């Protein structure tokens, strides 16, 4: 069975995330996609985040409409960190260890039957930093990747983002610098499926700013998520 893992801050989860998941599901015949809100994303440790519980609740609400979309607690914090995460973002928090994708992937794979294929869903903006993630070569070896591209990115950009040990030589990638990032990129230790033009212009940052100005959010997030944000008064600090 083909299984997807889609990790993110999801602060909040929005139409862009869901469009990526729908396109990935169709492209790679994914029977299930686990949406995994990160407890402490390694690259966002200094930025105030909504509580894990609020972000997880929004993922539950946003994924209700698709049987294949499963909210996952794979990166849920321990109970001490969980109670601390209820505090306002500005309050001092219990410091939890950052979540690394390689650990999450290995944990999920440990629960799957041997014949299952695991696909890691990611937007091109995040994929560009993959070489700086923990054990990137191992991560790329553990699962196939589905990367949502957007206009302006070439196949060479995708190849050049790979960790050095897996990156093809510049003389190899150069001819692909004008070729849009689509199709498949298969190299030793790398299997990437590229989704062309799935990227929506919506961003979680812009949504948080709109919420702070009490603007309608239904253009960006599902009605239930918009209602949750309003009811819980999220993002009021600007
Ligand atoms: P922020 O603005 O808070 O950084 P974000 O949506 O970019 O929000 P995440 O929630 O961590 O951050 O994103 C989860 C994944 O979704 C990442 O792989 C990211 O590249 C991808 N993604 C984010 N926004 C979009 C979008 N509009 N369209 C497609 N993919 C997206």
């Amino acid at each position: 069975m083909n299984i997807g893992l889609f990790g993110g801050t999801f602060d909040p989860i929005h139409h862009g995330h869901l469009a990526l998941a729908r396109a990935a599901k169709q492209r790679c015949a994914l029977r299930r996609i686990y949406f995994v809100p990160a407890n402490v994303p390694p690259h966002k440790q200094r930025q105030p985040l909504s509580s894990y519980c609020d972000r997880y609740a929004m993922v539950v609400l946003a994924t209700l409409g698709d049987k294949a979309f499963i909210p996952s607690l794979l990166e849920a914090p321990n109970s001490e960190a969980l109670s601390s995460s209820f505090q306002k973002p500005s309050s001092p928090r219990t410091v939890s260890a950052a979540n690394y994708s390689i650990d999450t992937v290995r944990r999920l794979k440990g629960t799957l039957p041997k014949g299952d294929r695991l696909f890691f869903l990611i937007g091109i903006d995040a994929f560009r930093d993959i070489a700086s993630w923990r054990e990137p070569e191992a991560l790329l070896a553990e699962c196939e990747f589905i990367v949502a591209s957007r206009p302006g990115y070439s196949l060479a950009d995708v190849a050049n983002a790979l960790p050095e040990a897996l990156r093809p030589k510049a003389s190899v990638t150069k001819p692909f610098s004008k070729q849009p990032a689509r199709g498949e990129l298969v190299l030793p230790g790398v299997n990437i499926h590229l989704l062309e033009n799935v990227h929506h212009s919506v961003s979680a940052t812009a949504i948080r700013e709109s919420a702070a100005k009490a603007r309608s959010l239904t253009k960006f997030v599902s009605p239930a998520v918009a209602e949750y944000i309003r009811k819980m008064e999220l993002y009021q600090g600007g």
Side-chain angles (χ1 to χ4, degrees):
M1 200 194 294
N2 291 354
I3 305 287
L5 188 164
F6 190 16
T9 317
F10 299 132
D11 193 18
I13 184 166
H14 56 63
H15 291 331
H17 298 132
L18 295 170
L20 190 164
R22 275 193 294 269
K25 177 181 152 189
Q26 198 178 8
R27 168 73 169 274
C28 295
L30 304 180
R31 293 276 295 279
R32 211 176 283 157
I33 299 177
Y34 292 100
F35 284 71
V36 185
N39 172 26
V40 183
H43 56 293
K44 290 183 178 170
Q45 285 184 77
R46 273 185 290 271
Q47 171 181 326
L49 286 179
S50 303
S51 75
Y52 177 86
C53 289
D54 283 331
R55 292 181 290 114
Y56 179 75
M58 291 189 280
V59 166
V60 172
L61 293 171
T63 53
L64 278 176
D66 192 316
K67 274 202 301 213
F69 291 0
I70 316 286
S72 166
L73 292 166
L74 263 174
E75 295 191 0
N78 61 32
S79 53
E80 193 192 346
L82 195 60
S83 47
S84 141
S85 89
F86 276 117
Q87 296 161 359
K88 290 279 171 221
S90 53
S91 317
R93 295 171 176 223
T94 304
V95 178
S96 312
N99 299 115
Y100 292 100
S101 297
I102 183 66
D103 301 328
T104 309
V105 161
R106 285 178 174 151
R107 204 168 325 132
L108 178 58
K109 278 185 89 174
T111 68
L112 299 176
K114 251 199 150 81
D116 282 3
R117 279 168 75 187
L118 184 61
F119 296 76
F120 192 96
L121 279 53
I122 186 169
I124 189 123
D125 295 327
F127 185 79
R128 276 193 318 176
D129 296 327
I130 192 86
S132 66
W133 291 19
R134 177 165 288 193
E135 298 185 50
E137 296 92 350
L139 181 61
L140 283 148
E142 288 279 4
C143 50
E144 297 175 45
F145 270 63
I146 303 177
V147 179
S149 181
R150 54 171 160 159
Y153 284 95
S154 70
L155 212 46
D157 293 328
V158 178
N160 288 332
L162 291 169
E164 207 175 337
L166 301 173
R167 196 181 307 150
K169 288 199 181 92
S171 56
V172 176
T173 57
K174 204 158 179 236
F176 298 100
S177 58
K178 295 245 165 0
Q179 198 163 313
R182 63 168 166 241
E184 315 283 320
L185 179 67
V186 182
L187 297 163
V190 179
N191 198 337
I192 300 176
H193 309 263
L194 291 153
L195 303 171
E196 199 185 10
N197 296 344
V198 170
H199 195 96
H200 278 221
S201 54
V202 46
S203 85
T205 306
I207 294 169
R208 292 191 295 271
E209 284 166 12
S210 291
K213 291 176 187 149
R215 295 199 179 128
S216 164
L217 302 180
T218 46
K219 260 197 328 214
F220 316 117
V221 299
S222 73
V225 171
E227 195 182 327
Y228 186 88
I229 292 171
R230 221 179 13 255
K231 177 166 121 180
M232 302 304 282
E233 300 178 353
L234 302 185
Y235 313 126
Q236 294 311 299

